[in-house]
Amino acid sequence: MTMEDIYNDLKRRISPKRFTHIMGVTKTAEILAKRYGADPDKAYLAGLLHDCAKELPLSQMQAMVDEANVLVDRAVYENGALLHGLAGAVMARDYYGIDDEEVLEAIRVHTTGKVGMSALDKVVFLADYIEPSRKFPGVDALRKLAFIDLDEAVLAGYDSTIAHLLEQKLSIYFKTILGRNDCLAQMKRSR
């Protein structure tokens, strides 16, 4: 599929609100990639497809990862908010024909993060937080920080998510905590 085909397919099958979010992430990821030396074309594509599976029913996401023989933690498998990244990577590969492993990985980890994130992973992860339609306390400060220091902004994104989950008395996916701690350790080593 061409980029135009992907765009048109998403516009047709995704809700208008989600599509607005997707386009905001796409543009923000492209801008951040240019700022921090990641590939802007890959950032655009990963941004475009990052939520391609988000509106699917959980059972359909589960079937997709089952059919692709992807091993997944039970905590992710049973939670659509977490599973949509992995299901989106499978969908990007199998339905949209994307074979770029960096793009697929950025889609896969855009919600949970991971240990050892690449610049592209960080850009898409952060763009998902700060795109223009996002409205939550602290988003403006996070947007400013995103253009000053990528790692500090990613750390702030992790911290914001963890604080929100704690406030809501929701469980925190353990790999998100590991990713946050890895980001902090890398920042300490590089300074």
PDB file of all heavy atoms in Angstrom, residues 51-76:
ATOM      1  N   ASP A  51      -2.014   3.804  16.052  1.00  0.00           N
ATOM      2  CA  ASP A  51      -3.308   3.442  16.638  1.00  0.00           C
ATOM      3  C   ASP A  51      -4.221   2.736  15.645  1.00  0.00           C
ATOM      4  O   ASP A  51      -5.446   2.739  15.804  1.00  0.00           O
ATOM      5  CB  ASP A  51      -4.014   4.691  17.184  1.00  0.00           C
ATOM      6  CG  ASP A  51      -3.657   5.012  18.623  1.00  0.00           C
ATOM      7  OD1 ASP A  51      -2.902   4.246  19.246  1.00  0.00           O
ATOM      8  OD2 ASP A  51      -4.136   6.059  19.121  1.00  0.00           O
ATOM      9  N   CYS A  52      -3.649   2.096  14.630  1.00  0.00           N
ATOM     10  CA  CYS A  52      -4.487   1.469  13.596  1.00  0.00           C
ATOM     11  C   CYS A  52      -5.378   0.363  14.164  1.00  0.00           C
ATOM     12  O   CYS A  52      -6.439   0.076  13.606  1.00  0.00           O
ATOM     13  CB  CYS A  52      -3.642   0.962  12.429  1.00  0.00           C
ATOM     14  SG  CYS A  52      -2.502  -0.389  12.809  1.00  0.00           S
ATOM     15  N   ALA A  53      -4.992  -0.249  15.279  1.00  0.00           N
ATOM     16  CA  ALA A  53      -5.801  -1.312  15.894  1.00  0.00           C
ATOM     17  C   ALA A  53      -6.548  -0.845  17.142  1.00  0.00           C
ATOM     18  O   ALA A  53      -7.271  -1.624  17.759  1.00  0.00           O
ATOM     19  CB  ALA A  53      -4.908  -2.501  16.250  1.00  0.00           C
ATOM     20  N   LYS A  54      -6.405   0.396  17.518  1.00  0.00           N
ATOM     21  CA  LYS A  54      -6.930   0.910  18.801  1.00  0.00           C
ATOM     22  C   LYS A  54      -8.436   0.711  18.961  1.00  0.00           C
ATOM     23  O   LYS A  54      -8.910   0.414  20.055  1.00  0.00           O
ATOM     24  CB  LYS A  54      -6.573   2.394  18.939  1.00  0.00           C
ATOM     25  CG  LYS A  54      -7.081   3.067  20.187  1.00  0.00           C
ATOM     26  CD  LYS A  54      -6.185   2.847  21.349  1.00  0.00           C
ATOM     27  CE  LYS A  54      -6.644   3.658  22.541  1.00  0.00           C
ATOM     28  NZ  LYS A  54      -5.751   3.586  23.644  1.00  0.00           N
ATOM     29  N   GLU A  55      -9.188   0.874  17.900  1.00  0.00           N
ATOM     30  CA  GLU A  55     -10.642   0.804  18.020  1.00  0.00           C
ATOM     31  C   GLU A  55     -11.208  -0.598  17.768  1.00  0.00           C
ATOM     32  O   GLU A  55     -12.424  -0.782  17.807  1.00  0.00           O
ATOM     33  CB  GLU A  55     -11.292   1.824  17.083  1.00  0.00           C
ATOM     34  CG  GLU A  55     -10.990   3.244  17.495  1.00  0.00           C
ATOM     35  CD  GLU A  55     -11.646   4.307  16.632  1.00  0.00           C
ATOM     36  OE1 GLU A  55     -11.987   4.024  15.465  1.00  0.00           O
ATOM     37  OE2 GLU A  55     -11.820   5.426  17.136  1.00  0.00           O
ATOM     38  N   LEU A  56     -10.347  -1.568  17.554  1.00  0.00           N
ATOM     39  CA  LEU A  56     -10.815  -2.940  17.381  1.00  0.00           C
ATOM     40  C   LEU A  56     -11.243  -3.514  18.728  1.00  0.00           C
ATOM     41  O   LEU A  56     -10.678  -3.160  19.767  1.00  0.00           O
ATOM     42  CB  LEU A  56      -9.694  -3.813  16.805  1.00  0.00           C
ATOM     43  CG  LEU A  56      -9.166  -3.443  15.420  1.00  0.00           C
ATOM     44  CD1 LEU A  56      -7.993  -4.349  15.052  1.00  0.00           C
ATOM     45  CD2 LEU A  56     -10.268  -3.541  14.378  1.00  0.00           C
ATOM     46  N   PRO A  57     -12.204  -4.421  18.728  1.00  0.00           N
ATOM     47  CA  PRO A  57     -12.554  -5.096  19.981  1.00  0.00           C
ATOM     48  C   PRO A  57     -11.354  -5.901  20.496  1.00  0.00           C
ATOM     49  O   PRO A  57     -10.540  -6.388  19.698  1.00  0.00           O
ATOM     50  CB  PRO A  57     -13.702  -6.033  19.578  1.00  0.00           C
ATOM     51  CG  PRO A  57     -14.170  -5.566  18.244  1.00  0.00           C
ATOM     52  CD  PRO A  57     -13.036  -4.846  17.605  1.00  0.00           C
ATOM     53  N   LEU A  58     -11.258  -6.044  21.813  1.00  0.00           N
ATOM     54  CA  LEU A  58     -10.160  -6.785  22.411  1.00  0.00           C
ATOM     55  C   LEU A  58     -10.043  -8.181  21.803  1.00  0.00           C
ATOM     56  O   LEU A  58      -8.936  -8.638  21.505  1.00  0.00           O
ATOM     57  CB  LEU A  58     -10.341  -6.867  23.931  1.00  0.00           C
ATOM     58  CG  LEU A  58      -9.290  -7.672  24.697  1.00  0.00           C
ATOM     59  CD1 LEU A  58      -7.893  -7.078  24.512  1.00  0.00           C
ATOM     60  CD2 LEU A  58      -9.656  -7.742  26.177  1.00  0.00           C
ATOM     61  N   SER A  59     -11.155  -8.855  21.607  1.00  0.00           N
ATOM     62  CA  SER A  59     -11.123 -10.216  21.060  1.00  0.00           C
ATOM     63  C   SER A  59     -10.485 -10.244  19.672  1.00  0.00           C
ATOM     64  O   SER A  59      -9.765 -11.189  19.327  1.00  0.00           O
ATOM     65  CB  SER A  59     -12.529 -10.818  21.015  1.00  0.00           C
ATOM     66  OG  SER A  59     -13.372 -10.038  20.188  1.00  0.00           O
ATOM     67  N   GLN A  60     -10.707  -9.220  18.880  1.00  0.00           N
ATOM     68  CA  GLN A  60     -10.110  -9.157  17.546  1.00  0.00           C
ATOM     69  C   GLN A  60      -8.602  -8.893  17.635  1.00  0.00           C
ATOM     70  O   GLN A  60      -7.815  -9.479  16.901  1.00  0.00           O
ATOM     71  CB  GLN A  60     -10.796  -8.086  16.697  1.00  0.00           C
ATOM     72  CG  GLN A  60     -10.444  -8.172  15.229  1.00  0.00           C
ATOM     73  CD  GLN A  60     -11.285  -7.236  14.375  1.00  0.00           C
ATOM     74  OE1 GLN A  60     -12.310  -6.687  14.825  1.00  0.00           O
ATOM     75  NE2 GLN A  60     -10.873  -7.030  13.139  1.00  0.00           N
ATOM     76  N   MET A  61      -8.194  -8.015  18.571  1.00  0.00           N
ATOM     77  CA  MET A  61      -6.767  -7.796  18.787  1.00  0.00           C
ATOM     78  C   MET A  61      -6.096  -9.099  19.232  1.00  0.00           C
ATOM     79  O   MET A  61      -5.011  -9.441  18.759  1.00  0.00           O
ATOM     80  CB  MET A  61      -6.538  -6.710  19.850  1.00  0.00           C
ATOM     81  CG  MET A  61      -6.817  -5.301  19.392  1.00  0.00           C
ATOM     82  SD  MET A  61      -6.289  -4.135  20.689  1.00  0.00           S
ATOM     83  CE  MET A  61      -7.851  -3.407  21.121  1.00  0.00           C
ATOM     84  N   GLN A  62      -6.743  -9.805  20.143  1.00  0.00           N
ATOM     85  CA  GLN A  62      -6.193 -11.064  20.632  1.00  0.00           C
ATOM     86  C   GLN A  62      -6.062 -12.078  19.498  1.00  0.00           C
ATOM     87  O   GLN A  62      -5.043 -12.769  19.391  1.00  0.00           O
ATOM     88  CB  GLN A  62      -7.066 -11.624  21.763  1.00  0.00           C
ATOM     89  CG  GLN A  62      -6.992 -10.802  23.026  1.00  0.00           C
ATOM     90  CD  GLN A  62      -8.051 -11.180  24.051  1.00  0.00           C
ATOM     91  OE1 GLN A  62      -9.142 -11.644  23.712  1.00  0.00           O
ATOM     92  NE2 GLN A  62      -7.730 -10.967  25.327  1.00  0.00           N
ATOM     93  N   ALA A  63      -7.070 -12.161  18.644  1.00  0.00           N
ATOM     94  CA  ALA A  63      -7.025 -13.089  17.509  1.00  0.00           C
ATOM     95  C   ALA A  63      -5.870 -12.737  16.571  1.00  0.00           C
ATOM     96  O   ALA A  63      -5.194 -13.636  16.050  1.00  0.00           O
ATOM     97  CB  ALA A  63      -8.360 -13.070  16.766  1.00  0.00           C
ATOM     98  N   MET A  64      -5.641 -11.444  16.373  1.00  0.00           N
ATOM     99  CA  MET A  64      -4.552 -11.016  15.487  1.00  0.00           C
ATOM    100  C   MET A  64      -3.189 -11.479  16.015  1.00  0.00           C
ATOM    101  O   MET A  64      -2.378 -12.009  15.252  1.00  0.00           O
ATOM    102  CB  MET A  64      -4.539  -9.484  15.340  1.00  0.00           C
ATOM    103  CG  MET A  64      -5.654  -8.938  14.505  1.00  0.00           C
ATOM    104  SD  MET A  64      -5.709  -7.139  14.574  1.00  0.00           S
ATOM    105  CE  MET A  64      -4.228  -6.744  13.709  1.00  0.00           C
ATOM    106  N   VAL A  65      -2.939 -11.260  17.294  1.00  0.00           N
ATOM    107  CA  VAL A  65      -1.634 -11.658  17.843  1.00  0.00           C
ATOM    108  C   VAL A  65      -1.529 -13.175  17.944  1.00  0.00           C
ATOM    109  O   VAL A  65      -0.442 -13.733  17.759  1.00  0.00           O
ATOM    110  CB  VAL A  65      -1.294 -10.958  19.177  1.00  0.00           C
ATOM    111  CG1 VAL A  65      -1.213  -9.450  19.000  1.00  0.00           C
ATOM    112  CG2 VAL A  65      -2.253 -11.318  20.283  1.00  0.00           C
ATOM    113  N   ASP A  66      -2.660 -13.857  18.196  1.00  0.00           N
ATOM    114  CA  ASP A  66      -2.658 -15.323  18.214  1.00  0.00           C
ATOM    115  C   ASP A  66      -2.294 -15.869  16.832  1.00  0.00           C
ATOM    116  O   ASP A  66      -1.437 -16.752  16.708  1.00  0.00           O
ATOM    117  CB  ASP A  66      -4.020 -15.879  18.638  1.00  0.00           C
ATOM    118  CG  ASP A  66      -4.339 -15.655  20.110  1.00  0.00           C
ATOM    119  OD1 ASP A  66      -3.411 -15.325  20.894  1.00  0.00           O
ATOM    120  OD2 ASP A  66      -5.521 -15.796  20.477  1.00  0.00           O
ATOM    121  N   GLU A  67      -2.953 -15.351  15.792  1.00  0.00           N
ATOM    122  CA  GLU A  67      -2.696 -15.809  14.418  1.00  0.00           C
ATOM    123  C   GLU A  67      -1.262 -15.533  13.989  1.00  0.00           C
ATOM    124  O   GLU A  67      -0.686 -16.290  13.209  1.00  0.00           O
ATOM    125  CB  GLU A  67      -3.675 -15.145  13.447  1.00  0.00           C
ATOM    126  CG  GLU A  67      -5.085 -15.677  13.548  1.00  0.00           C
ATOM    127  CD  GLU A  67      -6.073 -14.890  12.700  1.00  0.00           C
ATOM    128  OE1 GLU A  67      -5.661 -14.291  11.687  1.00  0.00           O
ATOM    129  OE2 GLU A  67      -7.268 -14.889  13.073  1.00  0.00           O
ATOM    130  N   ALA A  68      -0.680 -14.457  14.512  1.00  0.00           N
ATOM    131  CA  ALA A  68       0.701 -14.104  14.165  1.00  0.00           C
ATOM    132  C   ALA A  68       1.704 -14.868  15.042  1.00  0.00           C
ATOM    133  O   ALA A  68       2.912 -14.688  14.877  1.00  0.00           O
ATOM    134  CB  ALA A  68       0.906 -12.598  14.306  1.00  0.00           C
ATOM    135  N   ASN A  69       1.201 -15.706  15.963  1.00  0.00           N
ATOM    136  CA  ASN A  69       2.057 -16.475  16.872  1.00  0.00           C
ATOM    137  C   ASN A  69       3.015 -15.591  17.670  1.00  0.00           C
ATOM    138  O   ASN A  69       4.183 -15.912  17.838  1.00  0.00           O
ATOM    139  CB  ASN A  69       2.850 -17.548  16.117  1.00  0.00           C
ATOM    140  CG  ASN A  69       1.943 -18.627  15.576  1.00  0.00           C
ATOM    141  OD1 ASN A  69       1.054 -19.096  16.280  1.00  0.00           O
ATOM    142  ND2 ASN A  69       2.152 -18.998  14.334  1.00  0.00           N
ATOM    143  N   VAL A  70       2.494 -14.465  18.142  1.00  0.00           N
ATOM    144  CA  VAL A  70       3.288 -13.533  18.941  1.00  0.00           C
ATOM    145  C   VAL A  70       3.081 -13.858  20.413  1.00  0.00           C
ATOM    146  O   VAL A  70       1.936 -13.931  20.883  1.00  0.00           O
ATOM    147  CB  VAL A  70       2.878 -12.069  18.656  1.00  0.00           C
ATOM    148  CG1 VAL A  70       3.657 -11.116  19.532  1.00  0.00           C
ATOM    149  CG2 VAL A  70       3.061 -11.730  17.182  1.00  0.00           C
ATOM    150  N   LEU A  71       4.180 -14.080  21.118  1.00  0.00           N
ATOM    151  CA  LEU A  71       4.090 -14.290  22.565  1.00  0.00           C
ATOM    152  C   LEU A  71       3.845 -12.956  23.235  1.00  0.00           C
ATOM    153  O   LEU A  71       4.470 -11.951  22.893  1.00  0.00           O
ATOM    154  CB  LEU A  71       5.382 -14.905  23.088  1.00  0.00           C
ATOM    155  CG  LEU A  71       5.694 -16.318  22.604  1.00  0.00           C
ATOM    156  CD1 LEU A  71       7.058 -16.753  23.124  1.00  0.00           C
ATOM    157  CD2 LEU A  71       4.611 -17.295  23.049  1.00  0.00           C
ATOM    158  N   VAL A  72       2.932 -12.941  24.193  1.00  0.00           N
ATOM    159  CA  VAL A  72       2.576 -11.689  24.844  1.00  0.00           C
ATOM    160  C   VAL A  72       2.271 -11.959  26.325  1.00  0.00           C
ATOM    161  O   VAL A  72       1.696 -12.992  26.669  1.00  0.00           O
ATOM    162  CB  VAL A  72       1.382 -11.020  24.113  1.00  0.00           C
ATOM    163  CG1 VAL A  72       0.168 -11.903  24.079  1.00  0.00           C
ATOM    164  CG2 VAL A  72       1.041  -9.675  24.684  1.00  0.00           C
ATOM    165  N   ASP A  73       2.686 -11.033  27.174  1.00  0.00           N
ATOM    166  CA  ASP A  73       2.376 -11.118  28.600  1.00  0.00           C
ATOM    167  C   ASP A  73       0.862 -11.126  28.794  1.00  0.00           C
ATOM    168  O   ASP A  73       0.138 -10.428  28.095  1.00  0.00           O
ATOM    169  CB  ASP A  73       2.916  -9.878  29.351  1.00  0.00           C
ATOM    170  CG  ASP A  73       4.410  -9.772  29.327  1.00  0.00           C
ATOM    171  OD1 ASP A  73       5.078 -10.776  29.600  1.00  0.00           O
ATOM    172  OD2 ASP A  73       4.907  -8.656  29.054  1.00  0.00           O
ATOM    173  N   ARG A  74       0.409 -11.880  29.790  1.00  0.00           N
ATOM    174  CA  ARG A  74      -1.020 -11.938  30.086  1.00  0.00           C
ATOM    175  C   ARG A  74      -1.586 -10.549  30.400  1.00  0.00           C
ATOM    176  O   ARG A  74      -2.691 -10.205  29.984  1.00  0.00           O
ATOM    177  CB  ARG A  74      -1.284 -12.876  31.257  1.00  0.00           C
ATOM    178  CG  ARG A  74      -2.769 -13.002  31.568  1.00  0.00           C
ATOM    179  CD  ARG A  74      -3.154 -14.111  32.485  1.00  0.00           C
ATOM    180  NE  ARG A  74      -3.368 -15.462  32.032  1.00  0.00           N
ATOM    181  CZ  ARG A  74      -3.951 -15.881  30.907  1.00  0.00           C
ATOM    182  NH1 ARG A  74      -4.338 -15.027  30.016  1.00  0.00           N
ATOM    183  NH2 ARG A  74      -4.144 -17.143  30.657  1.00  0.00           N
ATOM    184  N   ALA A  75      -0.819  -9.727  31.119  1.00  0.00           N
ATOM    185  CA  ALA A  75      -1.281  -8.376  31.466  1.00  0.00           C
ATOM    186  C   ALA A  75      -1.571  -7.544  30.222  1.00  0.00           C
ATOM    187  O   ALA A  75      -2.516  -6.759  30.200  1.00  0.00           O
ATOM    188  CB  ALA A  75      -0.241  -7.673  32.330  1.00  0.00           C
ATOM    189  N   VAL A  76      -0.780  -7.724  29.186  1.00  0.00           N
ATOM    190  CA  VAL A  76      -0.999  -7.010  27.927  1.00  0.00           C
ATOM    191  C   VAL A  76      -2.142  -7.654  27.147  1.00  0.00           C
ATOM    192  O   VAL A  76      -3.023  -6.970  26.625  1.00  0.00           O
ATOM    193  CB  VAL A  76       0.294  -6.988  27.075  1.00  0.00           C
ATOM    194  CG1 VAL A  76       0.044  -6.429  25.681  1.00  0.00           C
ATOM    195  CG2 VAL A  76       1.379  -6.189  27.782  1.00  0.00           C
TER     196      VAL A  76
END
